[in-house]
Amino acid sequence: MSTGARAFWVSSPGEGEIRHVELADPAEGEVLVRSLWSGVSRGTETLVFRGGVPESQHAVMRAPFQEGDFPGPVKYGYLNVGVVEQGPAALVGRTVFCLYPHQTRYVVPATAVTVVPDSVPAERAVLAGTVETAVNALWDAAPLAGDRIAVVGGGMVGCSVAALLARFPGVRVQLVDADPARATIAEALGVDFATPADALGGRDLVVHASATEQGLARSLELLADEGTVLELSWYGDRKVSLPLGEDFHSRRLVIRSSQVGAVSPARRSSRTYADRLALALELLADPALDALVTGDSAFGELPEVMPKLASGEIPALCHRIGYEQERLT
């Protein structure tokens, strides 16, 4: 027996299409999931869509259930929420999150899905992968009570980090972005907002997530002496120049990378990938995080929507994809 499904593929850089796939019935220890929602992470996914993954990073940047290879054809994505239709009795009927691309139905090992807590709406759970990145970043950054912190770059990852930092006791957080419209999102998340020119200096920690050379340079300027920039941006195949002369050394500034592909060394001995994702889903009980979802489209519209997301014609943080129409047809 097999089940028909439809999947979004990047056919070539800048071009996408919907393909039909046949799914075998789940074997023992596997689940068949019907997608409810998926999310487009505007940073990484649009870079993949444009064909901007450097050849040296093709293996590193593979998504867990990716098919095909960069630059294409490739099926790529990692923010999927669905309901289990077949599989172990304890999972059938449960809403789950999975690091799976945009596809109407799929079969994966039962260990690859995480049950969404009852306190988290399915449509918000698409943010789990990004909030997981923010959790890992804060394990790397280890902010202290009372710290003065800037988050430079009000995209999906930066806003997730700012939202979590807002819960730390005594921490003063400022979200910094060149787009004044991000002030509304900062307010919803409970943090201050500033444009780069007006951002407050003397920061103990700056989390950089703008993926721009200017943003990283400004992050260094905002630091207090001996402060740290935690670099979350991924630049793909772009070169970045840094002002490492002048007072960079005399002020003993630090630039440190953080990447979600490995559990932070600060927690690697005591937390697994599954623990980290489960924590991210628990944190999504906060309705303030709904501010990170800035648009919705139907699955069938993805070939037309992705170019607009990649070009910025649709300005988005997380753009959510709905599958209800697929269920009805």
Side-chain angles (χ1 to χ4, degrees):
M1 296 291 292
S2 64
T3 300
R6 303 206 311 153
F8 175 74
W9 282 70
V10 178
S11 50
S12 62
E15 300 286 338
E17 64 183 9
I18 304 292
R19 296 185 178 184
H20 180 82
V21 297
E22 289 292 328
L23 305 175
D25 285 343
E28 184 177 355
E30 293 184 327
V31 290
L32 171 66
V33 179
R34 172 172 55 85
S35 295
L36 300 173
W37 304 94
S38 61
V40 178
S41 175
R42 187 171 178 269
T44 303
E45 280 200 64
T46 58
L47 186 125
V48 169
F49 184 75
R50 294 193 301 267
V53 179
E55 187 173 353
S56 64
Q57 298 298 301
H58 282 189
V60 174
M61 287 303 299
R62 288 191 69 86
F65 293 100
Q66 174 180 324
E67 293 183 38
D69 297 300
F70 303 119
V74 61
K75 183 175 76 175
Y76 191 88
Y78 47 83
L79 302 174
N80 188 291
V81 177
V83 60
V84 176
E85 293 189 321
Q86 297 179 44
L91 288 175
V92 172
R94 301 298 302 272
T95 300
V96 295
F97 177 85
C98 185
L99 297 167
Y100 204 88
H102 309 282
Q103 185 166 308
T104 56
R105 281 182 169 85
Y106 54 91
V107 174
V108 294
T111 53
V113 301
T114 302
V115 174
V116 175
D118 293 339
S119 58
V120 178
E123 57 268 33
R124 190 187 304 150
V126 296
L127 297 168
T130 307
V131 173
E132 182 183 12
T133 300
V135 167
N136 206 58
L138 295 186
W139 284 350
D140 280 333
L144 301 176
D147 271 358
R148 296 161 296 179
I149 303 174
V151 179
V152 176
M156 195 173 168
V157 171
C159 284
S160 296
V161 171
L164 298 191
L165 282 170
R167 306 173 182 209
F168 278 65
V171 164
R172 287 165 286 178
V173 186
Q174 189 170 67
L175 181 66
V176 180
D177 197 275
D179 183 0
R182 292 285 192 261
T184 302
I185 295 172
E187 182 179 7
L189 298 177
V191 300
D192 293 335
F193 176 83
T195 61
D198 297 326
L200 297 173
R203 304 294 93 183
D204 302 297
L205 169 69
V206 177
V207 178
H208 179 240
S210 81
T212 67
E213 182 176 299
Q214 296 86 350
L216 182 51
R218 185 60 175 142
S219 296
L220 289 169
E221 293 173 348
L222 296 177
L223 285 176
D225 290 356
E226 301 188 351
T228 296
V229 170
L230 189 76
E231 177 58 276
L232 284 178
S233 302
W234 192 64
Y235 299 90
D237 54 3
R238 287 178 292 142
K239 304 293 184 183
V240 176
S241 297
L242 285 179
L244 300 184
E246 300 181 354
D247 60 357
F248 177 80
H249 288 85
S250 64
R251 295 179 58 211
R252 300 180 61 83
L253 304 182
V254 175
I255 302 173
R256 182 179 180 188
S257 66
S258 178
Q259 209 271 343
V260 73
V263 174
S264 167
R267 292 293 179 272
R268 198 170 295 163
S269 65
S270 59
R271 301 291 193 281
T272 65
Y273 288 98
D275 293 333
R276 190 178 64 182
L277 180 56
L279 174 59
L281 281 163
E282 289 176 19
L283 294 170
L284 280 166
D286 185 353
L289 291 164
D290 284 332
L292 303 185
V293 179
T294 52
D296 291 273
S297 297
F299 168 75
E301 298 171 341
L302 263 173
E304 292 75 41
V305 167
M306 282 297 290
K308 295 177 181 178
L309 290 170
S311 69
E313 182 179 344
I314 298 178
L317 294 180
C318 177
H319 194 84
R320 190 166 52 199
I321 305 302
Y323 292 78
E324 180 64 17
Q325 189 61 37
E326 293 292 321
R327 187 180 69 84
L328 299 175
T329 58

